[in-house]
Amino acid sequence: MEHVLSSAQFGKEDLGDLFERADYFKKHNAEPRDEATRHLGRSLCTLFYQPSTRTRLSFEAAGGRLGMSIISTENAADFSSAIKGESIEDTIKIVNGYAHLIVIRHPEAGSAARAAEASEIPVINAGDGGNEHPTQALLDTYTIREKAGRTGNLDVAIGGDLLYGRTVRSLVDIMSRVYEGNTFTFIAPDDLQISPDIEMALRGRDIPYRKTSSLEDGLDGADVVYWTRLQAENIQDVYKKQRILAAIASGDFILDKKALGYMPASAIILHPLPRVGEINPEIDGYPQAQYFKQAHNGLPVRQAVIDRLLSNHAEIA
Ligand code: CP
């Protein structure tokens, strides 16, 4: 594996190996030892053209835990030479001279693939527009494995903004393609329901799924509840945005104490975060609420991804 651009690159064996490696890092992160120098002398560049808290900081922390130095531009759209009109390709070629691995977030779908095309060092897609966020799907699946105790035969309820959110696209791919027996319930207002291409992929795999706009109906029987925020920044149509905001504001899509009553007590609630009102903090202390632990799993999972890419890369290993 040269780059990480899409969840589609990962099969069952890959994920098993990666998660075992993440288990190792998670177990040993509290006591820095050999791993702290594993990639000493190498540099990680985080090139973020969109805001981020978790992805950028966990990648930088992961690189640091492996001994790497970090070079970063957290607002590349304004503070890199992109503002002067430099192309992604030229920026990547320059960074190739300074770093051993690039993590890129960019508002355009396909931008990470363009970056990889221009790069001789590994590139990781940290979110390209509404397209994909593959390492988020890896840490989501890792958390499901850890907290639900399995990755197959699960009733997965996915709610919120299913149309504009890139994390949903990557997660549904992995949970429907790689693991057997999973079924899906998509809970959203009509304007935000799952996109036709994801439905087509599920139908092509004979995966049972249903769509609903009712929280009570959708959460019934769920083993995993995966919630998402409205990606308002990705909606250009002003009228559509107002209609959606009104639907969300109605409270029909907010996970709160009442919503906890609709799902089994054993369900786990995940969210890629940030949340902006769609999960009431009143449920944060309940055992179902696993979203902060999920975000923390970004560290060992991203350590495992970095370690794999650098170890695989012939010119670097
Ligand atoms: N989950 C996620 O991608 O969060 P950030 O935007 O903070 O990186």
Side-chain angles (χ1 to χ4, degrees), residues 94-113:
I94 296 304
V95 174
N96 266 240
Y98 306 151
H100 299 85
L101 189 148
I102 296 171
V103 181
I104 183 169
R105 170 172 289 187
H106 194 282
E108 283 170 32
S111 51

mmCIF file of all heavy atoms in Angstrom, residues 94-113:
data_model
loop_
_atom_site.group_PDB
_atom_site.id
_atom_site.type_symbol
_atom_site.label_atom_id
_atom_site.label_comp_id
_atom_site.label_asym_id
_atom_site.label_seq_id
_atom_site.Cartn_x
_atom_site.Cartn_y
_atom_site.Cartn_z
ATOM 1 N N ILE A 94 7.001 20.110 -3.861
ATOM 2 C CA ILE A 94 7.889 20.836 -2.942
ATOM 3 C C ILE A 94 7.973 20.096 -1.613
ATOM 4 O O ILE A 94 9.069 19.847 -1.094
ATOM 5 C CB ILE A 94 7.367 22.282 -2.724
ATOM 6 C CG1 ILE A 94 7.396 23.069 -4.025
ATOM 7 C CG2 ILE A 94 8.174 22.987 -1.631
ATOM 8 C CD1 ILE A 94 8.741 23.139 -4.726
ATOM 9 N N VAL A 95 6.818 19.693 -1.073
ATOM 10 C CA VAL A 95 6.819 19.023 0.241
ATOM 11 C C VAL A 95 7.578 17.699 0.169
ATOM 12 O O VAL A 95 8.167 17.253 1.164
ATOM 13 C CB VAL A 95 5.370 18.827 0.752
ATOM 14 C CG1 VAL A 95 5.352 18.012 2.030
ATOM 15 C CG2 VAL A 95 4.700 20.179 0.990
ATOM 16 N N ASN A 96 7.602 17.067 -1.017
ATOM 17 C CA ASN A 96 8.369 15.828 -1.186
ATOM 18 C C ASN A 96 9.842 16.006 -0.790
ATOM 19 O O ASN A 96 10.503 15.056 -0.392
ATOM 20 C CB ASN A 96 8.312 15.357 -2.644
ATOM 21 C CG ASN A 96 7.188 14.350 -2.901
ATOM 22 O OD1 ASN A 96 7.428 13.225 -3.319
ATOM 23 N ND2 ASN A 96 5.958 14.746 -2.636
ATOM 24 N N GLY A 97 10.330 17.219 -0.913
ATOM 25 C CA GLY A 97 11.727 17.474 -0.547
ATOM 26 C C GLY A 97 11.921 17.702 0.946
ATOM 27 O O GLY A 97 13.060 17.750 1.421
ATOM 28 N N TYR A 98 10.821 17.864 1.687
ATOM 29 C CA TYR A 98 10.933 18.210 3.108
ATOM 30 C C TYR A 98 10.427 17.110 4.045
ATOM 31 O O TYR A 98 10.691 17.164 5.251
ATOM 32 C CB TYR A 98 10.093 19.462 3.429
ATOM 33 C CG TYR A 98 10.352 20.684 2.581
ATOM 34 C CD1 TYR A 98 9.331 21.599 2.350
ATOM 35 C CD2 TYR A 98 11.608 20.942 2.039
ATOM 36 C CE1 TYR A 98 9.548 22.740 1.580
ATOM 37 C CE2 TYR A 98 11.826 22.078 1.267
ATOM 38 C CZ TYR A 98 10.791 22.970 1.039
ATOM 39 O OH TYR A 98 10.997 24.092 0.286
ATOM 40 N N ALA A 99 9.609 16.190 3.516
ATOM 41 C CA ALA A 99 8.921 15.238 4.406
ATOM 42 C C ALA A 99 8.983 13.824 3.834
ATOM 43 O O ALA A 99 9.395 13.613 2.689
ATOM 44 C CB ALA A 99 7.465 15.665 4.587
ATOM 45 N N HIS A 100 8.581 12.848 4.654
ATOM 46 C CA HIS A 100 8.547 11.441 4.242
ATOM 47 C C HIS A 100 7.119 10.939 4.088
ATOM 48 O O HIS A 100 6.902 9.818 3.622
ATOM 49 C CB HIS A 100 9.286 10.579 5.265
ATOM 50 C CG HIS A 100 10.732 10.951 5.398
ATOM 51 N ND1 HIS A 100 11.157 11.969 6.219
ATOM 52 C CD2 HIS A 100 11.837 10.467 4.774
ATOM 53 C CE1 HIS A 100 12.469 12.099 6.106
ATOM 54 N NE2 HIS A 100 12.905 11.205 5.242
ATOM 55 N N LEU A 101 6.154 11.749 4.507
ATOM 56 C CA LEU A 101 4.744 11.338 4.427
ATOM 57 C C LEU A 101 3.890 12.603 4.484
ATOM 58 O O LEU A 101 4.200 13.517 5.248
ATOM 59 C CB LEU A 101 4.431 10.410 5.607
ATOM 60 C CG LEU A 101 3.088 9.700 5.600
ATOM 61 C CD1 LEU A 101 3.246 8.332 6.289
ATOM 62 C CD2 LEU A 101 2.040 10.464 6.361
ATOM 63 N N ILE A 102 2.834 12.627 3.675
ATOM 64 C CA ILE A 102 1.953 13.806 3.640
ATOM 65 C C ILE A 102 0.533 13.399 4.031
ATOM 66 O O ILE A 102 0.011 12.400 3.516
ATOM 67 C CB ILE A 102 1.915 14.422 2.215
ATOM 68 C CG1 ILE A 102 3.301 14.948 1.821
ATOM 69 C CG2 ILE A 102 0.864 15.539 2.128
ATOM 70 C CD1 ILE A 102 3.418 15.367 0.354
ATOM 71 N N VAL A 103 -0.064 14.171 4.925
ATOM 72 C CA VAL A 103 -1.477 13.992 5.264
ATOM 73 C C VAL A 103 -2.203 15.228 4.747
ATOM 74 O O VAL A 103 -1.867 16.351 5.138
ATOM 75 C CB VAL A 103 -1.674 13.870 6.793
ATOM 76 C CG1 VAL A 103 -3.148 13.655 7.112
ATOM 77 C CG2 VAL A 103 -0.827 12.740 7.367
ATOM 78 N N ILE A 104 -3.168 15.032 3.862
ATOM 79 C CA ILE A 104 -3.809 16.186 3.222
ATOM 80 C C ILE A 104 -5.326 16.173 3.429
ATOM 81 O O ILE A 104 -5.975 15.137 3.322
ATOM 82 C CB ILE A 104 -3.483 16.238 1.699
ATOM 83 C CG1 ILE A 104 -4.095 17.486 1.052
ATOM 84 C CG2 ILE A 104 -3.917 14.973 0.982
ATOM 85 C CD1 ILE A 104 -3.604 17.753 -0.366
ATOM 86 N N ARG A 105 -5.869 17.343 3.793
ATOM 87 C CA ARG A 105 -7.329 17.567 3.790
ATOM 88 C C ARG A 105 -7.597 18.731 2.852
ATOM 89 O O ARG A 105 -6.927 19.772 2.933
ATOM 90 C CB ARG A 105 -7.845 17.888 5.187
ATOM 91 C CG ARG A 105 -9.299 18.350 5.162
ATOM 92 C CD ARG A 105 -9.908 18.489 6.523
ATOM 93 N NE ARG A 105 -10.137 17.177 7.136
ATOM 94 C CZ ARG A 105 -10.781 17.009 8.284
ATOM 95 N NH1 ARG A 105 -11.253 18.062 8.944
ATOM 96 N NH2 ARG A 105 -10.951 15.811 8.788
ATOM 97 N N HIS A 106 -8.587 18.547 1.987
ATOM 98 C CA HIS A 106 -8.839 19.545 0.944
ATOM 99 C C HIS A 106 -10.334 19.531 0.614
ATOM 100 O O HIS A 106 -10.961 18.472 0.643
ATOM 101 C CB HIS A 106 -7.995 19.187 -0.293
ATOM 102 C CG HIS A 106 -7.882 20.280 -1.306
ATOM 103 N ND1 HIS A 106 -8.902 20.568 -2.188
ATOM 104 C CD2 HIS A 106 -6.884 21.153 -1.577
ATOM 105 C CE1 HIS A 106 -8.524 21.579 -2.960
ATOM 106 N NE2 HIS A 106 -7.309 21.960 -2.611
ATOM 107 N N PRO A 107 -10.918 20.685 0.277
ATOM 108 C CA PRO A 107 -12.367 20.719 0.023
ATOM 109 C C PRO A 107 -12.820 20.039 -1.263
ATOM 110 O O PRO A 107 -14.014 19.788 -1.436
ATOM 111 C CB PRO A 107 -12.691 22.225 -0.015
ATOM 112 C CG PRO A 107 -11.399 22.909 -0.284
ATOM 113 C CD PRO A 107 -10.324 22.030 0.277
ATOM 114 N N GLU A 108 -11.901 19.726 -2.173
ATOM 115 C CA GLU A 108 -12.336 19.153 -3.462
ATOM 116 C C GLU A 108 -12.258 17.635 -3.461
ATOM 117 O O GLU A 108 -11.203 17.063 -3.123
ATOM 118 C CB GLU A 108 -11.421 19.646 -4.587
ATOM 119 C CG GLU A 108 -11.699 21.063 -5.027
ATOM 120 C CD GLU A 108 -10.611 21.564 -5.970
ATOM 121 O OE1 GLU A 108 -10.040 20.734 -6.724
ATOM 122 O OE2 GLU A 108 -10.320 22.766 -5.914
ATOM 123 N N ALA A 109 -13.350 16.997 -3.880
ATOM 124 C CA ALA A 109 -13.329 15.539 -4.061
ATOM 125 C C ALA A 109 -12.258 15.202 -5.096
ATOM 126 O O ALA A 109 -12.148 15.874 -6.119
ATOM 127 C CB ALA A 109 -14.692 15.055 -4.528
ATOM 128 N N GLY A 110 -11.456 14.199 -4.818
ATOM 129 C CA GLY A 110 -10.420 13.779 -5.764
ATOM 130 C C GLY A 110 -9.089 14.470 -5.562
ATOM 131 O O GLY A 110 -8.095 14.123 -6.219
ATOM 132 N N SER A 111 -9.030 15.449 -4.652
ATOM 133 C CA SER A 111 -7.782 16.210 -4.469
ATOM 134 C C SER A 111 -6.667 15.336 -3.896
ATOM 135 O O SER A 111 -5.494 15.476 -4.273
ATOM 136 C CB SER A 111 -8.024 17.412 -3.555
ATOM 137 O OG SER A 111 -8.678 16.980 -2.377
ATOM 138 N N ALA A 112 -7.006 14.420 -2.998
ATOM 139 C CA ALA A 112 -5.963 13.566 -2.406
ATOM 140 C C ALA A 112 -5.373 12.649 -3.474
ATOM 141 O O ALA A 112 -4.161 12.392 -3.483
ATOM 142 C CB ALA A 112 -6.544 12.753 -1.251
ATOM 143 N N ALA A 113 -6.223 12.173 -4.391
ATOM 144 C CA ALA A 113 -5.721 11.323 -5.476
ATOM 145 C C ALA A 113 -4.792 12.125 -6.385
ATOM 146 O O ALA A 113 -3.754 11.624 -6.839
ATOM 147 C CB ALA A 113 -6.888 10.745 -6.269
#
